[in-house]
Amino acid sequence: MSAHENAQEGYDFAHPLPLPLLAGTFLVLTLLTVLTVAQASFNFGSLDVLIVMVIATIKAVLVGAIFMHLAWDKPFNIICFIGSFVFVGLFIMATLFDSRQTAKDDIPVTDDAVVSAPAEL
C-alpha cells in the first residue's frame, strides 16, 4: 500500500511551488541576510544578540515553511519544529543567565588605589 494514495497523477510526493513564491522567499532571505550584516556595523548594546536572533528566527521559519514544506505538512510536524526552537531558546537563555552570574565584570571594586610591588634595593 502506498502512503500517498490520494496523490494526484504526476505529483506523488513533492509539493510543486510556483516560481514567484520561491523567488520572493529568496529575495526576503537575501534582504534579511543583508540586514544582519548591516546590523553588525551599529552598536545597539545588549540588544545586538536579540536583534540578530530575531532575524535568524524569521529566516529559519521561512526556510522551514517554504523549502521544507512545513506550511503544507501535518500539524504535528509543525509543532515539533516550533517546539525545537522553543527548547533551543530555553537552553540559550539558561546559558546566558549562567554566564552573567560568573562574569568577571561582576567583581566589585572597593578601592581605587593602585597597588604596586615594593621597590627592590
Side-chain angles (χ1 to χ4, degrees):
M1 262 180 127
S2 173
H4 304 286
E5 292 178 6
N6 297 332
Q8 297 175 356
E9 187 64 36
Y11 298 103
D12 290 336
F13 183 70
H15 301 267
L17 299 175
L19 191 58
L21 177 65
L22 295 174
T25 305
F26 171 74
L27 181 66
V28 170
L29 289 172
T30 304
L31 290 175
L32 288 172
T33 301
V34 169
L35 181 65
T36 303
V37 172
Q39 183 274 336
S41 64
F42 297 105
N43 184 14
F44 293 109
S46 62
L47 292 177
D48 280 338
V49 174
L50 179 66
I51 292 170
V52 173
M53 292 301 286
V54 167
I55 294 171
T57 302
I58 293 170
K59 288 168 44 175
V61 167
L62 276 174
V63 168
I66 304 300
F67 296 125
M68 294 172 59
H69 303 282
L70 286 177
W72 300 277
D73 208 353
K74 296 176 184 174
F76 178 75
N77 293 337
I78 296 170
I79 291 170
C80 289
F81 185 72
I82 292 172
S84 66
F85 273 105
V86 169
F87 281 108
V88 166
L90 288 173
F91 293 144
I92 289 174
M93 285 179 15
T95 303
L96 290 176
F97 286 141
D98 184 52
S99 67
R100 283 190 178 181
Q101 295 297 322
T102 59
K104 293 181 181 179
D105 293 339
D106 290 339
I107 298 173
V109 177
T110 58
D111 189 13
D112 290 10
V114 177
V115 177
S116 60
E120 293 183 26
L121 295 176

